[in-house]
Amino acid sequence: MLRKIKRVEFPLHLMLIPGLLAILLFNYIPMVGMTIAFQDFMPAKGLFGSKWIGLENFRYMMELPDFYQILWNTAFIALMKIIAGLVVPVTIAILLNEVRKEFFKRSIQTLVYLPHFLSWVILSGILIDILSPGQGVVNLFIRWLGFHPIFFLGDNRWFPFTLVISNEWKEFGFSTIVYLAAIAGISPSLYEAAIVDGAGRWKQTLHITLPGMAPIIVLMCTLSIGNILNAGFEQIFNLYSPVVYESGDIIDTFVYRTGLIDAQYGLATAVGLMKSAVSFILISISYFMAYRFANYRIF
């Protein structure tokens, strides 16, 4: 029996080798570069020839006047995205579940799902056009209502909320699928019993649909804690400008400018390493909470 198991499973283990090699090559070997965070790194001297300065990059990082504002921007934008990423898809999933015309339901689902497949390079160009304070469609409508135009991408008061709304517009259709699947798993007999008891659609949603979705909502909420420092580099990089650095500059964009534009490789690596360490702790906490409250386990 043991010999048969080995004969069946051995080819499957061989199939893992290419994937494991790829992970080793692209995920683990590059981690040697973390030593740059503790060096006055000079590209000409290389990784092993640069001067070792210990925690000096981390001290300098903490003394930067903009560092805590950047940290706040990252957490604030990411937290708003997490909240919107839970509320909007759950609401849309419940509304779609109430649609009885199957063709209409599938059509709406496809339309809200499509933006997920567009990159932020494309969507940023669209947003820059429609949010333009001069001839943008949104501001033309605002003028028509009798208000002054709003510079959504150039005003620090509006920029973070513009990021959250545009991100949710792009992603909520994809997230809705998860919650529609959770609704599909609710037993129809519960709705039939509620109808017999005289419950309307609102009561059915409140006492059957939402409790039935609760485990997946708790799971998605707890897992999203690990992304509290991931505010969305690609989106912000394509939409922000020096005018809105005060409210839109996040850790990832700061690392990009510091490391690749200003060539302060040690400082950029120190900031990135700090973010990775905090994210690791948060992800560990989120998985523990997912196991504790939603009975979710990886292994």
Side-chain angles (χ1 to χ4, degrees):
M1 184 64 180
L2 184 60
R3 186 176 300 176
K4 182 180 179 181
I5 293 175
K6 287 183 178 180
R7 187 172 66 252
V8 172
E9 293 185 355
F10 184 69
L12 300 177
H13 285 83
L14 289 178
M15 292 172 64
L16 291 173
I17 293 177
L20 292 175
L21 289 176
I23 292 174
L24 179 66
L25 181 63
F26 295 106
N27 291 76
Y28 284 93
I29 293 179
M31 289 177 70
V32 177
M34 289 191 302
T35 56
I36 295 175
F38 306 95
Q39 295 177 331
D40 181 15
F41 182 74
M42 304 293 291
K45 295 182 179 180
L47 191 63
F48 300 104
S50 299
K51 181 182 177 182
W52 188 270
I53 58 174
L55 298 175
E56 189 60 35
N57 285 322
F58 292 92
R59 293 194 191 95
Y60 181 67
M61 173 185 71
M62 296 295 182
E63 294 171 356
L64 287 172
D66 298 333
F67 177 73
Y68 293 101
Q69 181 64 43
I70 292 169
L71 199 60
W72 163 254
N73 292 342
T74 305
F76 179 65
I77 294 172
L79 185 61
M80 286 199 300
K81 286 184 176 180
I82 290 172
I83 294 172
L86 289 171
V87 174
V88 176
V90 169
T91 304
I92 298 299
I94 292 173
L95 293 175
L96 280 175
N97 186 57
E98 297 300 317
V99 177
R100 291 293 170 258
K101 297 289 185 180
E102 195 65 26
F103 174 77
F104 186 57
K105 180 179 179 179
R106 298 299 179 190
S107 300
I108 295 176
Q109 198 172 342
T110 302
L111 287 174
V112 300
Y113 187 53
L114 284 177
H116 171 76
F117 295 101
L118 298 177
S119 72
W120 275 113
V121 176
I122 297 172
L123 288 179
S124 63
I126 297 173
L127 287 170
I128 290 170
D129 285 338
I130 67 175
L131 296 178
S132 169
Q135 296 299 318
V137 175
V138 175
N139 274 305
L140 288 176
F141 180 70
I142 291 174
R143 281 201 193 93
W144 180 76
L145 293 175
F147 298 100
H148 293 291
I150 299 171
F151 195 1
F152 291 98
L153 299 178
D155 190 328
N156 283 300
R157 294 173 299 174
W158 289 96
F159 187 69
F161 302 100
T162 304
L163 292 175
V164 175
I165 294 171
S166 59
N167 180 77
E168 201 53 38
W169 166 61
K170 181 179 185 294
E171 300 294 344
F172 83 90
F174 182 79
S175 303
T176 300
I177 295 174
V178 177
Y179 299 108
L180 283 172
I183 293 174
I186 300 174
S187 174
S189 62
L190 296 175
Y191 292 101
E192 294 169 0
I195 293 172
V196 171
D197 290 338
R201 300 304 303 175
W202 170 247
K203 291 292 185 180
Q204 293 175 40
T205 301
L206 192 61
H207 297 289
I208 298 176
T209 306
L210 280 175
M213 297 172 67
I216 193 66
I217 293 174
V218 172
L219 174 62
M220 298 300 289
C221 181
T222 52
L223 293 181
S224 63
I225 294 174
N227 293 318
I228 196 68
L229 292 184
N230 292 323
F233 169 77
E234 186 180 358
Q235 178 198 15
I236 296 176
F237 179 74
N238 283 286
L239 290 176
Y240 84 149
S241 63
V243 180
V244 289
Y245 278 177
E246 181 184 341
S247 64
D249 199 17
I250 62 171
I251 292 175
D252 291 333
T253 54
F254 176 75
V255 168
Y256 168 80
R257 291 199 319 277
T258 304
L260 296 182
I261 297 180
D262 298 338
Q264 299 183 52
Y265 303 108
L267 175 61
T269 307
V271 176
L273 181 58
M274 181 275 298
K275 178 196 169 185
S276 298
V278 174
S279 297
F280 174 75
I281 294 171
L282 291 175
I283 288 172
S284 300
I285 293 172
S286 68
Y287 275 107
F288 171 77
M289 292 176 64
Y291 170 69
R292 180 70 176 80
F293 297 108
N295 199 28
Y296 174 81
R297 300 182 64 177
I298 303 176
F299 304 109

